[in-house]
Amino acid sequence: MPNPTAAMIVIGDEILSGRTRDSNMHFLAGELSNRGIDLREVRVVPDVHDAIVAAVNGLRGRFDHVFTSGGIGPTHDDITADAVAAAFGLGLDVRDDARAILAAHYAKTGSELNAARLRMARIPAGATLIENPISSAPGFSLENVHVMAGVPNVFQAMVASLLPRISGGAPLLTQSLRIPRGEGEIAGPLAELASAFPTLSIGSYPFISNGAHGATIVIRGTEAADVDAAMVRLAALFPEALA
Amino acid sequence: MPNPTAAMIVIGDEILSGRTRDSNMHFLAGELSNRGIDLREVRVVPDVHDAIVAAVNGLRGRFDHVFTSGGIGPTHDDITADAVAAAFGLGLDVRDDARAILAAHYAKTGSELNAARLRMARIPAGATLIENPISSAPGFSLENVHVMAGVPNVFQAMVASLLPRISGGAPLLTQSLRIPRGEGEIAGPLAELASAFPTLSIGSYPFISNGAHGATIVIRGTEAADVDAAMVRLAALFPEALA
């Protein structure tokens, strides 16, 4: 059975303006690889209602899962929940279960559950909450779209809450070999190797070390025997490979 | 006149698998902000022909410029040039001007300009070369699509070669203020401020410092007077703001 597929939507003006360097994409990519879920596309969009709606509707039908990060806090620029609900043709209102979580949190911290904070309890009907052990305000899964926070430690905690209830596949196995020759010299035999193993992804990533060109060859696949066989062939092709 | 708009396509299995953390998006975002070009969307796609074609054709009609990174080296997984040409309904072949650049480079380094390296001289007819002062193999601009390398120092050098011939707009001006109060407490007045300055982007980014919640408010716009006026109003709203 092929692995489940996924896309991600990173939401935030601060990424597109260059102010903030996103880290959630790299984190999620690694977590999904480990669980055998193939991340096939990522889109970064601004805090603009129509852009979020278009990304959600452009991706949710094409992939098994869509993960979003960003835009679910209490301020005016936090519009992701509204946009995701709109993409499904739904409205959203304060939901009792989410309100109870926030009320307990703010009672504990001695802060007021005011109108702005209550915005974070607006969850579409039918959505499943995603637990937030860091700052309590929950994310949610609406069908196959999983809505999470943008602050990296909260995003990571929500991913940890969410992934155990998503079915994975065969984890992506990776082996690599560093070859101390320029890509232009190894490209021919490498292409033949790739043709011989069509189910594997064989990537070449150039580097320069002590002024000399080299390439790291990365072989990825879900069948350990195939990955091993390709690695043996690769090592035989390039006996000068670095350990 | 509104600023020119842009999208970016990051191409590479290694980003989506979590092996490599992309840095080209953040670099380009900053360069474009400085030049007054609004980066509106980024897509990350795998080394798959149809995925690259779909991204190019999904974006090139919607934005003034599309920048790509990755997939233009000599190995079998470098398929970006073919896919971009295909997106325009073009083929591509070795072009004399690109071949001359590579021939001069490899003559100097004493390497052979073999078939794999010659692949990097395959440039669509009508495209303008983008100079690569690092490793010589050029990128190219085909109409409004600018095709560049994925290796970060080469990407950065190509961006430096390219941007002087792209018209910019009013640079995005940014001012920010750190407010030592949680987002939930400042969200109300902040929303009013955002409504009063509809041409500005006013973002709120929470932080925790010494265990206390705070938010950095970032005001962005192309009109210095507006940004200044909004900052004065923001500082008056929150006199406890940190310098």
Side-chain angles (χ1 to χ4, degrees), chain A residues 184-203:
Chain A
E185 293 181 21
I186 65 175
L190 201 62
E192 287 168 29
L193 182 72
S195 299
F197 291 92
T199 65
L200 302 179
S201 151
I202 301 185

Side-chain angles (χ1 to χ4, degrees), chain B residues 51 66 74 128-129 189-190:
Chain B
V66 176
T128 304
L129 299 184
L190 201 61

Side-chain angles (χ1 to χ4, degrees), chain A residues 13-23 25-26 29-30 33 39-46 74-77 114 116-117 151 172 183-185 187 190-191 194 201-206 216 218 220, chain B residues 13-23 25-26 29-30 33 39-46 74-77 114 116-117 151 172 183-185 187 190-191 194 201-206 216 218 220:
Chain A
D13 289 350
E14 73 279 17
I15 311 291
L16 293 171
S17 73
R19 175 180 178 268
T20 301
R21 185 178 171 191
D22 171 68
S23 65
M25 173 171 84
H26 183 59
S33 276
L39 181 61
R40 296 274 181 85
E41 181 167 338
V42 179
R43 295 193 188 178
V44 186
V45 300
T75 56
H76 65 283
D77 54 339
N114 61 14
R117 289 178 172 134
V151 176
L172 198 62
E183 281 193 304
E185 293 181 21
L190 201 62
S201 151
I202 301 185
S204 173
Y205 305 102
T216 302
V218 179
R220 306 180 190 90
Chain B
D13 289 352
E14 73 279 17
I15 310 292
L16 293 170
S17 73
R19 176 180 178 270
T20 301
R21 184 178 173 193
D22 172 68
S23 65
M25 173 171 83
H26 182 58
S33 277
L39 182 62
R40 296 273 181 87
E41 181 167 339
V42 179
R43 295 194 187 178
V44 186
V45 300
T75 57
H76 65 284
D77 54 340
N114 60 18
R117 289 177 172 136
V151 176
L172 197 62
E183 281 194 306
E185 292 181 21
L190 201 61
S201 150
I202 301 183
S204 172
Y205 306 103
T216 302
V218 179
R220 305 178 192 92

